[in-house]
Amino acid sequence: MREPVEHSGLPIAPDAYLDTPITGQVDGRPWRTTRIGFTEALDLAILLRTACLIVVSYLSGMRTGEVLNLERGCLSHNPATGIWSITGKKFKGARDEHGNKIPEGQFRDDPWVIVAQTAHAVTVLERLHYQRLLFPAEMHPHRGTHSTRRGRARHARGIPYDIAAFLAWVKDYCIATGRDHEAIPPDPHGAIGTARFRRTLAWHIVRKPRGLIAGAIQYGHLHVQMTLGYSGSYDSGFPDEHAYEDWLFRLERLAEDHERLTAGEHISGPAAATYIHRINQAHHTFAGRVLTSTSHAHDMLTNPLLQIYPGRAMTCVFDQAKALCQLRSGEGDVRATPDQDDCRPTCRNLAYTDRDIAALHQQATELESLLGDFLAPSPRHQRARAELDRLHALIRNHTRKP
Ligand code: SF4
């Protein structure tokens, strides 16, 4: 029938339009003025699934596999406290009573506390399709009823492609609607995978500690130990804001240290091996864990894996028994911290990262220019010379091939 219809002169729409109303708005206006065509609905549904994945991943701090395996009905809300939470499976550390790995995962004892935006994304997904998993591999409602992908979760390998497609759509939309300034610029670090969302979340919480409070609880499981150390007991109420920020910053730094170590950062100094061990172990032990009790917080406060203190061109891998500086809060106290202002160059707790060595290079350059000043008094000159020799020795030791 195509040919006679096309030659009939009757107006023909290029698509079959859904009767779904356009309710989403941008700046108080409908996000589009035309109805959604049947042929574009599937692509838009996939983009919406990606948008929800970004919101859930970014604002919950969950791991990729945990997000992709969320199921319909996972959301709950406590009207008394106003807290939203999600129950789901964990895969990391999921083992049966014999210690065997459980590949299909295990339901976590503790739910994830989430913000309202994440809860909203979950409800959007529950309305978007009828499948059990919130992020299904197959989005078409009819296609592939016999497909092996049906009933399965979207594969993690596909997520960077989904995000790239989403970014491209946002860019096109911005250009088409005169919102070029809102287009998301290309990422200098390449394709975006969900693992980066966790770190970005921590970064934002540190700088806006009250902005994403449920997320902060998610990430701040360890921060409470700082509260214990800095502002009295856990029972004293809402955690001290400064300690809160400080601890989250530490958490972010731990993630960064681990990332750098994995990327091949070299560590030198007497505590180098301990540093590497602690960073790796702390990453595996603490990343993404939720605080469940005050005793839990206290355990974390004293955990030796977390006793790493970056300083000026040095890193203190703190072991109280070896410390040569004055300890803050006294010897024998499990919450003692090093006094880095009193750091001694011969301490066995010292380690140097590539970042520390870059800072040492900078210090050496400054000293060299000081030594070039012939008017400098002699004792000062000698002190500078001795310090420069020490810095050069540290740099040589760091760069020496094993
Ligand atoms: S002397 Fe320096 S390296 Fe040693 S414990 Fe104190 S701050 Fe850390």
Side-chain angles (χ1 to χ4, degrees):
M1 295 296 292
R2 185 186 183 110
E3 206 175 322
V5 170
E6 277 181 355
H7 288 96
S8 68
L10 292 169
I12 301 169
D15 208 336
Y17 295 101
L18 309 186
D19 56 8
T20 311
I22 307 296
T23 55
Q25 296 189 342
V26 178
D27 282 348
R29 293 194 187 153
W31 71 277
R32 59 186 278 163
T33 51
T34 54
R35 285 183 174 272
I36 294 171
F38 176 79
T39 53
E40 58 176 336
L42 179 62
D43 289 342
L44 287 174
I46 290 171
L47 288 165
L48 185 53
R49 179 187 65 185
T50 307
C52 291
L53 179 114
I54 291 170
V55 172
V56 175
S57 291
Y58 178 38
L59 296 183
S60 73
M62 291 181 198
R63 294 186 173 86
T64 312
E66 294 164 344
V67 174
L68 292 176
N69 283 280
L70 288 176
E71 296 182 12
R72 183 174 292 281
C74 64
L75 188 65
S76 51
H77 181 242
N78 183 333
T81 58
I83 288 179
W84 289 96
S85 56
I86 286 182
T87 44
K89 285 181 178 173
K90 63 170 184 178
F91 292 84
K92 202 178 167 84
R95 294 188 181 275
D96 64 18
E97 67 275 18
H98 306 297
N100 301 319
K101 220 171 166 191
I102 307 175
E104 63 275 18
Q106 220 172 21
F107 275 99
R108 269 169 52 124
D109 296 336
D110 309 310
W112 283 279
V113 175
I114 52 159
V115 286
Q117 289 85 344
T118 310
H120 185 56
V122 171
T123 56
V124 166
L125 288 163
E126 287 179 336
R127 286 165 50 209
L128 187 64
H129 59 76
Y130 296 101
Q131 302 187 50
R132 182 176 57 89
L133 293 168
L134 292 185
F135 296 97
E138 178 58 69
M139 288 291 290
H140 196 289
H142 307 303
R143 188 189 300 155
T145 40
H146 303 297
S147 154
T148 51
R149 296 173 69 210
R150 192 134 205 108
R152 294 190 174 197
R154 178 85 178 112
H155 203 288
R157 272 198 311 269
I159 302 302
Y161 298 102
D162 290 349
I163 294 174
F166 179 75
L167 296 181
W169 182 87
V170 170
K171 185 176 170 206
D172 292 346
Y173 181 81
C174 288
I175 292 168
T177 54
R179 311 177 73 87
D180 303 37
H181 58 288
E182 290 187 62
I184 302 163
D187 194 297
H189 303 292
I192 299 175
T194 45
R196 277 169 61 185
F197 289 132
R198 281 159 68 89
R199 201 176 145 216
T200 312
L201 174 62
W203 189 93
H204 277 286
I205 293 168
V206 170
R207 285 144 187 90
K208 296 182 180 177
R210 288 189 187 278
L212 292 166
I213 201 64
I217 291 165
Q218 183 75 22
Y219 264 83
H221 50 285
L222 294 174
H223 133 267
V224 178
Q225 69 170 302
M226 303 300 280
T227 314
L228 286 167
Y230 284 82
S231 60
S233 75
Y234 182 60
D235 294 332
S236 66
F238 193 78
D240 169 71
E241 193 165 306
H242 175 263
Y244 204 69
E245 193 169 337
D246 195 19
W247 168 246
L248 287 168
F249 189 56
R250 253 180 94 175
L251 194 66
E252 182 192 50
R253 212 172 44 209
L254 179 74
E256 186 181 332
D257 287 345
H258 181 260
E259 214 170 78
R260 284 176 183 269
L261 204 55
T262 316
E265 184 171 51
H266 181 57
I267 313 296
S268 61
T274 316
Y275 174 92
I276 294 168
H277 169 77
R278 285 188 189 178
I279 292 290
N280 284 328
Q281 277 303 109
H283 178 76
H284 290 120
T285 308
F286 297 110
R289 266 178 61 184
V290 175
L291 180 78
T292 52
S293 67
T294 46
S295 60
H296 191 185
H298 189 74
D299 287 350
M300 292 197 220
L301 170 66
T302 55
N303 194 305
L305 294 176
L306 297 168
Q307 311 309 316
I308 293 179
Y309 301 87
R312 284 190 294 269
M314 54 73 81
T315 300
C316 172
V317 187
F318 185 55
D319 175 347
Q320 208 177 125
K322 297 180 190 164
L324 296 184
C325 60
Q326 296 281 334
L327 300 185
R328 289 191 169 131
S329 80
E331 213 167 308
D333 184 339
V334 286
R335 284 183 279 172
T337 54
D339 182 355
Q340 286 170 288
D341 293 334
D342 182 38
C343 188
R344 316 294 171 90
T346 52
C347 184
R348 305 291 302 159
N349 289 340
L350 280 167
Y352 300 94
T353 63
D354 287 342
R355 289 159 283 167
D356 295 328
I357 295 300
L360 286 179
H361 268 295
Q362 174 70 27
Q363 284 182 11
T365 309
E366 284 163 16
L367 278 176
E368 276 157 8
S369 70
L370 187 72
L371 284 169
D373 176 6
F374 292 107
L375 296 175
S378 173
R380 191 179 164 202
H381 195 276
Q382 280 167 6
R383 272 202 310 276
R385 167 53 57 199
E387 180 61 3
L388 186 59
D389 290 347
R390 188 182 76 84
L391 299 187
H392 281 155
L394 290 172
I395 294 168
R396 266 199 313 278
N397 182 47
H398 188 82
T399 46
R400 189 186 301 145
K401 295 269 181 279

